[in-house]
Amino acid sequence: MSSATGTDAVLQQFGGEVAARRVEALYLTPDIAHQREATLAQLALRSGERVLDVGCGPGLLAEGAAAAVGAAGKVCGVDLSATMVELARRRCAHLPWVEFEVADAVALPGPAERFDAVTCTQVLEYVPDVDRALDELRRVLRPGGRLALVDTDWESCVWASADSSRMRRMLAAWDSHCAHPQLPRVLGPMLARHGFRVEKVTGVAIVNAMDASNTYSEGMMAMIAEHAVRRESVEEFDARAWLDDLRERISRNEAFFSLDRHVFLATRLP
Ligand SMILES: C[S@@+](CC[C@H](N)C(=O)[O-])C[C@H]1O[C@@H](n2cnc3c(N)ncnc32)[C@H](O)[C@@H]1O
């Protein structure tokens, strides 16, 4: 099994133009728009605040944060992928109080304690050294500043299919797409060990039932099939049959997909 961890693996998934555009399309679905709204609601940004979005991807959350803090505030985004940073810059070009740069979550640029709020959504599960990243998130936050993390527990994934053992093989293969496929269940104690007080943990369920066109699950299907074949030696015919079954269910309006993500809201202790 080739585990997808580390910088090279992240850049394979998010570095190329096609891959970055695919993630952008996925993150424009109503499912992920709802996730962003839920995350920003927890953070409750105020006018004039300084915000850092770590692993900003195509800049959608940064754009939402920019609207909340206004021109009196400041939003910075960093991502390991230069392609993502370019997409984010284009998205927010009309917002002069927003800027982006290429950087790693485990080595954030700039001095300490300069942000009122930090977000890191669907990123830490890709970072092999989560402890180092949490140290960095804490370093750049001012004491009392808020941190919002979002991660997925892939074991919560339920997907209706014609062949449950094939479904289990495909989801087991998908586990290696990131370093920590069940991160939320350990994040609370990790945050406490790194000098944060966990204020609230809320669930964001992605549920695509019946008509699953233009949804997160529809967008994920091809990515999971490609990963399973390229990185986990699942036979192509097996992955193809899995895809055909799910696509047919969507065409009949008989799909069912459910996945749990969690928003951790924490404050930096002095
Ligand atoms: C699934 S996308 C999420 C994008 C964005 N946070 C959002 O919620 O819209 C994951 C992003 O994390 C970035 N990433 C992964 N590991 C990273 C690291 N160590 N440092 C910075 N960015 C990283 C990837 O390049 C990718 O853009």
Side-chain angles (χ1 to χ4, degrees), residues 73-133:
K74 176 99 194 149
V75 177
C76 302
V78 298
D79 201 286
L80 210 45
S81 157
T83 316
M84 287 294 194
V85 165
E86 195 41 47
L87 289 182
R89 279 187 185 136
R90 265 182 257 159
R91 167 158 286 106
C92 296
H94 60 297
L95 303 166
W97 62 99
V98 183
E99 62 184 40
F100 297 96
E101 67 181 293
V102 175
D104 194 326
V106 300
L108 293 173
E113 301 187 5
R114 68 189 199 286
F115 292 106
D116 302 298
V118 172
T119 54
C120 188
T121 69
Q122 284 301 122
V123 178
L124 277 186
E125 62 200 56
Y126 294 95
V127 180
D129 194 344
V130 178
D131 287 302
R132 226 173 115 196

Side-chain angles (χ1 to χ4, degrees), residues 6-7 10-11 13-15 23 27 32 35-36 53-61 78-81 84 103-106 108 120-128 133 150 261:
T7 304
V10 165
L11 291 180
Q13 281 187 74
F14 302 107
V23 172
Y27 274 62
I32 307 302
Q35 174 188 302
R36 270 192 300 282
D53 185 24
V54 177
C56 60
L60 289 155
L61 187 88
V78 298
D79 201 286
L80 210 45
S81 157
M84 287 294 194
D104 194 326
V106 300
L108 293 173
C120 188
T121 69
Q122 284 301 122
V123 178
L124 277 186
E125 62 200 56
Y126 294 95
V127 180
V150 178
R261 290 185 159 166

